Structure formats: C-alpha cells, structure tokens
Amino acid sequence: MLGERGWYFLNSRKLKNRAVGVYVDHERVDKWLDRILRVHAVVASHGRRFVFFSAPDKATIYPEFLPARIGFETARQESLDVLLGKLRKRGIFSVDLRPAIQAHKTVGPLYYKADTHWNRLGALVVYNQIVTELGLDDAAVAIDEVFTGFVIGPRESDLPPMIGDEESALERIPRFIQNKFLCHNQQKFDIDPHSGAYKLVSIDPSRPPYPFSRVLMVGDSFSLTLEDLMVCLAGEYLWIHHRELDSVPSIIEAFDPDLVLMEVVERLFY
C-alpha cells in the first residue's frame, strides 16, 4: 500500500489486524515460540551461545507515514512484545531492536521508502546493537567514522511492483567509507542454491583474531543484509533461511558454530 510522502508499506496480516484493533495474535506467537525453543534446545545441547532477534516491520518504525485508515497506538502491547516476554521468561537471550532503531531515526532514513527492508545504515544500527548486547563493544562499528551521508538515486525495490508501479523509486541511499566499513576480504560459497544457504570464509591472513570461530545465522531476507557486518565476528559465517529449521540440527553438528543467531521478521508473528 502507498502511505504518506511516497512511503510504501507491505499490506501484511499485521496491518490488517491493526486496522480492526487486533494487536496480538497468540496462536502465531506460540507457533514461533515453539520453533525458537527447538532451535535453542539444539544449540544448548552443544554448549553454544544462542541469540534471538526480530527485524521490526517498517510500519513499526515509521508509523507516521502509514495511511490514516491503519491507525497506530504506541501504548498497545503487540505480538513481538508477548513473544520476547515469553522467551525471556524461559531464559532465552533475546534482543529487542526497536529502541535502538527508533533512537537513530534522526540520523536519516533507516529503511527504504519503497522497499520492505532496512537500508545499510539501518543494518549497521542493528549489528551494533546485537554485538553490544553480546558484550562485544570492540566489534561495534562507529557510525560517525564510516557513514558519509546520503545520495539520491534510483533503486529497484520490492513494494512498488505489487501495486503495478514498475518504475524504480528515487531513494536516499546511505554511503560509507568502504575500507572502514568492511571487516575483511571474504569468499562466498553457495551451500544450497534451492534454499539460498551460503557460507562466507575469511581470506585475509592479516586479520586479528575474531570473537568467534564460526557463526550461524538462521534468518530471512532482513539478516541477508547483515552479512558484510556479521563476518566481523568470525572467520566463517553461514546463513540459512528459517524455513529450513528441520536441517538446523545436522548443520550445527557439521558446522559446529560458536554462536547461533536466529532472526525472524516481525510480521510473521501475526
């Protein structure tokens, strides 16, 4: 759907529920809770660290640009709040990204106007929050040292074609000092073209020791945008989609990660 000032939003189940005053979908929360707990149990059985986080929907971060008919009440408890509460009650390490992203909105747009996803500046804010929560402040990337501002340019995005707008949207695209933004040189290997799984391996022998030897990300298209930051944490980084949960035990057995992160976009909890 087209919102205010040229902002597009995915007309998701979350927004449809919100339009009729439904803010929590307990059935979907419990379904995802079960999935997350299954992954955590496998990770814990190997004595490894596990972190869960959810990519906030663009509508959560930029409700001011939603169509007026949707409505928005910030005081409401939502599905993500319920899920995070249940995870923390069970002692599962979970990161709520919403406060950090909200706090950085003044730096500039953190999501693309015509796309579902956060931009690279938003991805950097997310990465920094995760490593800070892990107690790895030295792995954070200082925004003011790498971010050089925005340029205006066309960008093919995922939302305009859904309503028949085939033209590329003009976006404010963040720019960075690349030799400071990228942690090291790496080589990419496709593990499973069907599922999109891939692995990044460091090929920089001069790189100082990493906090972890191997990191596994179980996520979706939002975590795909974190790869050039997440490889700051390990010499090997493996990404798989969370729809491949049945393969997680065998992947953990074969890959033997020190850290497993699980990311799920917020709208799936509705």
Side-chain angles (χ1 to χ4, degrees):
M1 65 175 70
L2 183 60
E4 304 294 329
R5 301 185 186 179
W7 281 70
Y8 290 80
F9 294 89
L10 182 65
N11 193 13
S12 64
R13 182 189 297 266
K14 174 184 177 179
L15 292 188
K16 292 174 182 176
N17 285 358
R18 177 182 284 167
V20 296
V22 177
Y23 286 77
V24 179
D25 187 328
H26 292 283
E27 182 178 352
R28 284 181 173 263
V29 166
D30 287 341
K31 180 179 73 173
W32 276 101
L33 176 65
D34 178 68
R35 293 174 177 177
I36 297 164
L37 291 177
R38 282 193 284 130
V39 175
H40 174 265
V42 175
V43 176
S45 70
H46 286 76
R48 305 307 190 188
R49 298 183 72 175
F50 176 84
V51 178
F52 173 80
F53 65 101
S54 176
D57 289 334
K58 186 164 70 172
T60 296
I61 304 301
Y62 292 99
E64 62 269 30
F65 298 123
L66 282 169
R69 68 182 184 275
I70 299 299
F72 186 81
E73 297 182 40
T74 56
R76 291 274 190 169
Q77 186 181 57
E78 300 219 15
S79 286
L80 181 54
D81 298 300
V82 175
L83 176 65
L84 291 175
K86 290 186 174 187
L87 289 172
R88 288 167 180 164
K89 186 177 181 179
R90 290 163 172 79
I92 309 299
F93 195 117
S94 306
V95 178
D96 185 354
L97 297 174
R98 293 170 296 179
I101 297 176
Q102 292 281 6
H104 285 83
K105 284 174 63 174
T106 55
V107 180
L110 304 177
Y111 287 63
Y112 290 111
K113 291 175 64 174
D115 201 276
T116 315
H117 302 89
W118 50 46
N119 57 30
R120 292 188 83 202
L121 181 59
L124 179 54
V125 171
V126 166
Y127 166 80
N128 281 343
Q129 183 63 26
I130 292 171
V131 297
T132 298
E133 296 272 359
L134 283 168
L136 301 172
D137 292 348
D138 290 343
V141 178
I143 293 176
D144 58 354
E145 293 181 7
V146 299
F147 174 57
T148 61
F150 294 91
V151 296
I152 307 296
R155 182 182 183 276
E156 292 187 7
S157 300
D158 60 359
L159 293 177
M162 295 183 187
I163 57 173
D165 186 354
E166 299 296 337
E167 295 184 6
S168 298
L170 289 178
E171 294 277 10
R172 294 180 66 191
I173 302 172
R175 289 288 181 259
F176 301 89
I177 302 173
Q178 292 301 316
N179 64 342
K180 289 188 176 182
F181 186 78
L182 298 176
C183 292
H184 59 74
N185 296 318
Q186 65 270 345
Q187 189 170 356
K188 190 170 186 176
F189 300 92
D190 291 330
I191 303 299
D192 183 354
H194 172 72
S195 65
Y198 67 86
K199 182 167 70 172
L200 297 177
V201 178
S202 171
I203 55 174
D204 188 351
S206 64
R207 169 74 193 189
Y210 296 92
F212 303 98
S213 297
R214 288 169 295 279
V215 169
L216 169 64
M217 174 74 77
V218 183
D220 51 42
S221 56
F222 277 84
S223 53
L224 279 174
T225 65
L226 298 174
E227 67 174 33
D228 56 357
L229 288 161
M230 284 297 178
V231 292
C232 298
L233 297 180
E236 295 186 44
Y237 174 77
L238 177 62
W239 181 94
I240 64 169
H241 200 283
H242 53 59
R243 62 173 171 258
E244 308 294 332
L245 286 186
D246 289 344
S247 65
V248 167
S250 60
I251 288 175
I252 290 178
E253 188 70 35
F255 187 55
D256 192 25
D258 306 285
L259 172 68
V260 177
L261 301 114
M262 185 172 181
E263 173 271 322
V264 182
V265 63
E266 181 189 2
R267 67 175 177 270
L268 295 186
F269 308 134
Y270 295 83

